[in-house]
Amino acid sequence: ADLHGWADDDHTTALSVFLETCGDLNSGDWPAICALAGKDADPRTFFETFFRPVLITDGEDPLFTGYYEPELHGSLTRSTRFSIPLYRRPEDAPGDRPWLTRAQIEESGVLEDRGLEIAWVENPVDKFFLQVQGSGRIRLSNGNSLRVGYGGKNGHPYRSVGKELVRRGIFEEHQVSARVIRNWVNNNPIEGARLLHHNPSYVFFRDVSRVAPDRGPLGAMNRSITEGRTLAVDPDFVPLGAPVWLEKEGADPIRRLMIAQDTGSAIKGAQRGDIFFGSGDDAGREAGRIRDGGRMVVLLPIEEALALVDADQ
């Protein structure tokens, strides 16, 4: 009853999304709960019977944003139009410590002529936002498409280029959006390249074209994520695969049972969530408008929830 709007949600859809990744949960009471989830019990009754809502906080203000799967035009070969490479992760990049920064990678040419290119796209800022989102679809000139997913990173923390534009006094905070950043970089190519290098994090990709076109991209659990129901979280606070009740405020409030199936380099904190809005430009515009407060409440197996509450007391 403390979850605002709980009774009005579509628990059947939430359960089907939960089942997408439930089989990968193998600790504590999760396997037993997942076995019961496949039965014919009423979905709302299932969540109310086997879970306890827990509000996990860390003293930071709640913040909820949106993300999406970009769709870009590209090519499997380099050309005048398509000259910006998307790279696989090189084998000599260490996995346990930071490697070269974004600026060092792009200015040194360390990845060139090594057969690491997956595809080529038109614009460096398109590549940048593809790396921020972590996955995307590349539309090829022959009518086919290539799907790329997260393939690792260089170990450096994410830094917001939007905040950097505000710090420089170029824009006010309320003016900054993905479209504003894109236009400014395109109109100021030299300074724009330096701006993108402000973010030292660099994401590598992998070919995930095996994922059916009608399915969502692969999330952190290596399973397809679902528009409007998948939430990216900080796994230091929220276990991946757990149901999460979201109460997002703002112009378009959301009261919905989500599933924590993804992560993100900018998603840090107990009350930090990123809502997956789907694929394509429309989804991108919708996701870009979201920057709101609220709260998210994690649904944990009862014994695990009680142990967490007892530990905090």
Side-chain angles (χ1 to χ4, degrees):
D2 292 335
L3 306 183
H4 306 146
W6 171 264
D8 298 322
D9 192 31
D10 181 357
H11 299 88
T12 299
T13 298
L15 180 60
S16 68
V17 177
F18 176 67
L19 287 170
E20 286 283 342
T21 48
C22 196
D24 296 328
L25 307 179
N26 52 23
S27 63
D29 291 334
W30 286 105
I33 288 176
C34 290
L36 293 168
K39 306 300 182 182
D40 294 329
D42 174 72
R44 176 179 168 182
T45 301
F46 165 76
F47 287 116
E48 292 179 352
T49 301
F50 296 106
F51 293 92
R52 177 176 177 141
V54 179
L55 181 65
I56 301 174
T57 61
D58 60 357
E60 297 295 325
D61 291 337
L63 176 62
F64 303 104
T65 51
Y67 73 112
Y68 72 109
E69 182 186 33
E71 292 185 348
L72 309 178
H73 292 286
S75 172
L76 298 180
T77 57
R78 185 173 187 170
S79 66
T80 302
R81 178 183 177 189
F82 301 112
S83 60
I84 308 299
L86 305 180
Y87 288 114
R88 298 179 181 86
R89 184 179 181 276
E91 293 183 359
D92 57 342
D96 58 348
R97 64 185 186 278
W99 194 48
L100 303 176
T101 65
R102 172 181 296 274
Q104 291 169 334
I105 289 172
E106 295 187 341
E107 292 176 349
S108 69
V110 66
L111 300 179
E112 295 177 5
D113 303 319
R114 297 176 58 180
L116 297 171
E117 296 87 354
I118 298 176
W120 306 80
V121 296
E122 292 182 89
N123 190 299
V125 75
D126 288 340
K127 174 181 175 176
F128 181 86
F129 280 114
L130 183 66
Q131 290 177 310
V132 171
Q133 300 301 324
S135 62
R137 303 180 196 227
I138 312 300
R139 301 292 183 186
L140 306 175
S141 57
N142 62 6
N144 295 329
S145 65
L146 171 73
R147 215 161 184 185
V148 295
Y150 178 82
K153 59 180 294 188
N154 62 344
H156 288 271
Y158 170 87
R159 289 182 188 164
S160 169
V161 298
K163 289 182 178 179
E164 178 63 10
L165 283 172
V166 174
R167 189 193 69 80
R168 294 183 188 183
I170 298 173
F171 294 106
E172 298 292 332
E173 185 173 356
H174 71 276
Q175 296 175 309
V176 176
S177 67
R179 178 170 292 185
V180 167
I181 295 170
R182 183 188 305 277
N183 290 339
W184 191 86
V185 172
N186 288 336
N187 292 332
N188 303 272
I190 296 176
E191 282 300 313
R194 292 176 183 155
L195 174 70
L196 299 185
H197 287 167
H198 172 75
N199 176 21
S201 176
Y202 190 95
V203 169
F204 302 104
F205 295 100
R206 59 192 175 110
D207 186 337
V208 293
S209 298
R210 60 182 174 81
V211 178
D214 61 338
R215 301 274 287 167
L218 299 181
M221 302 183 74
N222 206 32
R223 298 287 186 272
S224 287
I225 58 178
T226 302
E227 175 183 340
R229 288 286 174 176
T230 289
L231 190 69
V233 299
D234 184 343
D236 287 343
F237 295 94
V238 180
L240 286 177
V244 178
W245 178 254
L246 177 66
E247 296 176 8
K248 186 194 78 66
E249 305 299 344
D252 297 300
I254 292 176
R255 306 284 186 265
R256 189 178 302 158
L257 185 57
M258 314 280 287
I259 311 298
Q261 295 172 320
D262 210 355
T263 60
S265 57
I267 311 305
K268 300 298 180 185
Q271 286 288 308
R272 181 72 174 91
D274 210 17
I275 306 162
F276 178 59
F277 276 88
S279 303
D281 292 343
D282 289 343
R285 282 188 286 272
E286 191 172 2
R289 291 195 293 264
I290 304 300
R291 190 175 182 84
D292 299 309
R295 70 170 182 170
M296 61 183 189
V297 183
V298 185
L299 272 60
L300 295 174
I302 293 174
E303 292 299 322
E304 186 174 331
L306 292 174
L308 184 62
V309 171
D310 290 341
D312 288 340
Q313 292 177 346

